[in-house]
Amino acid sequence: MASSTATNLWVLLGLGIAGVLLAAKRLRRPARPDNGAFIARLELLPPPQPPPPQARHPLTDLCFAIADAFHVSGYITSFGSLEWAKTHDAATQTSLVVSSLVDGGAMCVGKTVIDEMAFSIRGENKHFGTPTNPAAPDRVPGGCSSGSAVAVASGMVDFALGIDTIGGVRVPGSYCGVLAFRPSHAVVPNSGVIPVASSLDAIGWFARDPSVLRRVGHLLLRLPYADIRQPRHFYIADDCFEMSKVPARRLTQVVTKSVEKLFGRQVLGHINLENYLSSRIPSLRNYLNGQKNGDSKFSSLLALSRAMQFLHKHEFKDQHMEWINSVKPAVDACIVGNLSDDGESTINNSQDARKEVRAALGGLLKDDGILVIPTVLGCPPKLNARELSSPDYNVRTSCLTSLASMSGCCQVTLPLGTHDKCPVSVSFIARHGGDRFLLDTIQTIYATIQEQIDVLVKSNVSSKQAMNEEAAEAAKERGNIAFKEKQWQKAINFYTEAIKLNSKVATYYSNRAAAFLELTSYRQAEADCTSAIDIDPKSVKAYLRRGTAREMLGYYKEAVDDFSHALVLEPMNKTAGVAINRLKKLFP
């Protein structure tokens, strides 16, 4: 009986320890090795290489991942929702686009996280967790194809597929700092992909290397060989860059310098896109009712965004409302809150706007033009930021993505380095059907873009350094004025400011030491003089002031050494000579 009791106690103790360890493990939340990008690992292997002299498969040696909206035979497509996965069977066929890539020589290695039901552009998912943005870990990765963008940005795959309805590839591409391509609407077959809003959906892809982006595009778009056609017009949408929270010059300078270098200054032009659209898309007037006064400057762009939002939720409801009503899942509030009924006239107006904006952009860009806009409004929002749940954030972010979504034009997100330690990007848009032209242009300009980013970074560093040096000199001069007025502490404050701005000038330390001597702060004076001498070993004043400080501290031998050194540097210096004679008489 005693033995049984002891055994039970040991069992209870073991369970208690296990519970504590489990709780500690949960609290630590160790980072997943794949940054939370994948929900399932799998292997779809390409066929054997054809025998020589036939060419190797075009995507040989590349691996890729697919967003969790693409079917793979034998696997359940969970569509970003555990409740969806529980109520759907495994796919019986693999998506055509996935099969095409595998047959083209690439290996598929897994499925990646998407926003719940691919609805949002935030990149957060309560079912599978939010993937960690490798470029800015405290920021959202963007959605809906967040996991695919993270997998590419982390270097886990060469490229990845996503679904772009209202920005689902372009936004995470920008937030994670990778190339992201949305092709022209309906040019890549979407059979075997769960639809979100059919008239807006496009299968897009991410890559770090423009040649990979292009190779994938040539296979999926089934493009025959053709000579590369150079762009003849680059239109910088000045008003769109005014909307951005990143300084416009930071975004446009690299592009304009690169275009000038490769194609000449004559191809560059500027456009006020708001004015252009308002004069060519009359149906947008139906979406201007009740807008805020502050939106008037960008009324057409915001109206286009609202038209897209109406189409998005209307077609989403047609596809998925029956399942939501029958299963009654705990769907994210951002989905439920957007599924209110809309009148038939509103949908018709949205469809009219779509036709008109395609005609308007087609007329502007023709066969050889590119429109340059910011991809998003600014840096990626922080995780759990309030703005993510704000309707205003979604509308304003979508006003930029709505251009390609509504017109069906092709668009590429082009990373431009960082701003405030976060990725920034611009987008190039070509007319509907101009996919080869756009991919070839990116291939041509990408290396020059990277060179110009490096030039900009170096110039910014040197410019900031020059500004700091100028401000430091001004602070020193104010310190000198305060010193002459015998305002010793005020002088010390100014010299300290100068040192913070530029710590490589011996005079700033030496002057502060002089002020410290006046306040009898001898140890601080000695330390400052030592710093000055380390920077400039020939600073006579620093040796004299350190000698004085050491004499007052009782370090007579060291003081004599300092005065002697000053005398060597400046043999006629009377202050040093007098000090040496005085100390030798007092302490022979």
Side-chain angles (χ1 to χ4, degrees):
M1 182 72 178
S3 175
S4 175
T5 302
T7 301
N8 290 338
L9 286 172
W10 279 112
V11 169
L12 289 172
L13 181 60
L15 289 172
I17 292 172
V20 170
L21 291 174
L22 182 60
K25 185 176 181 181
R26 285 174 178 168
L27 286 172
R28 284 197 299 270
R29 290 185 181 177
R32 285 178 279 181
D34 63 2
N35 282 322
F38 287 88
I39 66 162
R41 294 284 191 165
L42 52 88
E43 277 193 358
L44 299 180
L45 300 176
Q49 295 292 341
Q54 297 183 61
R56 286 159 62 85
H57 297 310
L59 301 183
T60 296
D61 299 328
L62 298 181
C63 66
F64 71 102
I66 58 176
D68 187 29
F70 293 79
H71 291 317
V72 173
S73 181
Y75 291 85
I76 295 175
T77 307
S78 58
F79 202 35
S81 167
L82 288 175
E83 293 178 87
W84 180 281
K86 290 175 185 176
T87 55
H88 288 79
D89 296 326
T92 56
Q93 285 188 315
T94 297
S95 166
L96 178 59
V97 68
V98 176
S99 298
S100 298
L101 293 169
V102 173
D103 291 342
M107 180 174 70
C108 181
V109 298
K111 286 194 165 195
T112 56
V113 175
I114 62 173
D115 285 22
E116 186 177 12
M117 301 185 75
F119 191 84
S120 170
I121 55 174
R122 298 179 305 188
E124 298 175 318
N125 187 299
K126 66 183 180 184
H127 298 278
F128 299 102
T130 299
T132 300
N133 184 340
D138 64 331
R139 310 265 173 164
V140 295
C144 67
S145 306
S146 55
S148 287
V150 167
V152 170
S154 301
M156 291 181 280
V157 292
D158 298 299
F159 68 95
L161 296 182
I163 186 165
D164 189 309
T165 305
I166 60 171
V169 168
R170 292 162 289 166
V171 172
S174 179
Y175 285 178
C176 294
V178 295
L179 290 159
F181 186 74
R182 175 193 162 100
S184 299
H185 184 257
V187 299
V188 176
N190 60 357
S191 59
V193 183
I194 300 176
V196 182
S198 300
S199 72
L200 302 172
D201 290 346
I203 293 171
W205 53 95
F206 305 90
R208 298 183 307 281
D209 185 335
S211 65
V212 172
L213 194 81
R214 185 169 175 251
R215 285 166 65 187
V216 173
H218 278 224
L219 186 144
L220 292 182
L221 299 166
R222 301 174 184 176
L223 296 173
Y225 176 80
D227 292 334
I228 294 177
R229 188 173 72 255
Q230 288 195 347
R232 294 186 180 181
H233 302 282
F234 279 87
Y235 299 101
I236 310 292
D238 291 329
D239 55 326
C240 291
F241 284 99
E242 287 180 23
M243 297 177 72
S244 174
K245 296 177 183 177
V246 178
R249 189 170 180 272
R250 167 67 186 86
L251 296 173
T252 58
Q253 182 180 3
V254 168
V255 175
T256 54
K257 294 286 186 184
S258 301
V259 170
E260 287 176 3
K261 183 175 181 180
L262 287 175
F263 309 113
R265 186 174 297 179
Q266 71 279 0
V267 306
L268 279 168
H270 295 264
I271 187 172
N272 184 300
L273 197 61
E274 169 67 27
N275 292 343
Y276 181 82
L277 295 178
S278 64
S279 64
R280 287 165 175 80
I281 312 178
S283 60
L284 291 181
R285 294 170 193 149
N286 298 298
Y287 297 92
L288 300 181
N289 295 333
Q291 71 173 36
K292 298 176 184 177
N293 292 332
D295 294 343
S296 58
K297 192 174 182 180
F298 307 106
S299 57
S300 293
L301 288 166
L302 292 170
L304 186 64
S305 174
R306 293 186 185 101
M308 180 184 71
Q309 300 281 356
F310 281 124
L311 270 181
H312 178 218
K313 65 181 180 180
H314 174 75
E315 294 182 5
F316 181 89
K317 282 166 58 179
D318 281 352
Q319 294 285 348
H320 304 301
M321 202 63 194
E322 183 179 344
W323 176 78
I324 291 174
N325 288 335
S326 62
V327 175
K328 299 190 181 336
V331 178
D332 191 286
C334 81
I335 300 175
V336 176
N338 277 284
L339 297 184
S340 56
D341 290 328
D342 299 309
E344 192 66 30
S345 61
T346 303
I347 302 307
N348 291 336
N349 290 334
S350 297
Q351 292 170 343
D352 290 341
R354 186 171 55 192
K355 295 173 186 175
E356 291 167 3
V357 72
R358 178 179 293 194
L361 290 182
L364 172 69
L365 301 175
K366 300 183 174 63
D367 289 336
D368 51 15
I370 287 175
L371 179 66
V372 184
I373 65 168
T375 307
V376 291
L377 292 176
C379 296
K382 290 189 175 182
L383 292 164
N384 303 314
R386 285 185 181 179
E387 65 180 306
L388 291 168
S389 56
S390 162
D392 183 63
Y393 165 79
N394 289 324
V395 169
R396 286 183 170 272
T397 300
S398 298
C399 75
L400 295 170
T401 62
S402 66
L403 286 165
S405 290
M406 289 293 281
S407 68
C409 292
C410 50
Q411 177 177 337
V412 65
T413 295
L414 185 60
L416 292 184
T418 60
H419 176 76
D420 287 343
K421 300 181 181 180
C422 291
V424 292
S425 70
V426 295
S427 275
F428 288 0
I429 296 176
R431 67 164 179 83
H432 182 272
D435 302 75
R436 168 189 275 281
F437 166 65
L438 185 55
L439 287 168
D440 288 349
T441 300
I442 293 300
Q443 174 77 13
T444 301
I445 202 173
Y446 187 79
T448 306
I449 289 276
Q450 301 311 305
E451 290 172 6
Q452 291 301 319
I453 291 171
D454 291 339
V455 170
L456 179 65
V457 169
K458 290 175 183 176
S459 67
N460 283 346
V461 170
S462 60
S463 175
K464 184 177 180 181
Q465 183 177 346
M467 289 173 63
N468 284 348
E469 289 174 358
E470 186 177 339
E473 276 297 298
K476 182 203 76 173
E477 291 303 322
R478 290 196 294 271
N480 291 347
I481 293 170
F483 190 92
K484 288 177 183 178
E485 295 174 351
K486 298 184 180 182
Q487 298 177 347
W488 317 122
Q489 187 58 54
K490 189 175 180 180
I492 287 170
N493 293 341
F494 282 127
Y495 294 137
T496 301
E497 182 183 344
I499 290 168
K500 287 179 179 177
L501 290 165
N502 186 5
S503 61
K504 297 180 180 180
V505 178
T507 302
Y508 302 160
Y509 291 98
S510 180
N511 286 9
R512 190 169 70 172
F516 276 131
L517 286 173
E518 296 292 344
L519 293 177
T520 68
S521 300
Y522 301 122
R523 292 199 181 279
Q524 290 94 326
E526 181 191 25
D528 269 353
C529 289
T530 300
S531 296
I533 291 166
D534 287 341
I535 296 169
D536 180 9
K538 294 183 180 181
S539 175
V540 174
K541 288 183 179 179
Y543 281 109
L544 291 174
R545 289 164 183 167
R546 189 169 72 173
T548 302
R550 286 177 168 177
E551 180 182 354
M552 301 308 294
L553 290 168
Y555 303 144
Y556 303 118
K557 181 181 180 303
E558 289 83 357
V560 169
D561 290 342
D562 277 339
F563 291 130
S564 298
H565 206 116
L567 205 56
V568 170
L569 292 169
E570 200 173 281
M572 302 302 292
N573 190 291
K574 294 182 180 179
T575 302
V578 169
I580 291 171
N581 291 332
R582 182 180 68 252
L583 287 170
K584 284 184 176 179
K585 287 178 182 178
L586 291 172
F587 308 99

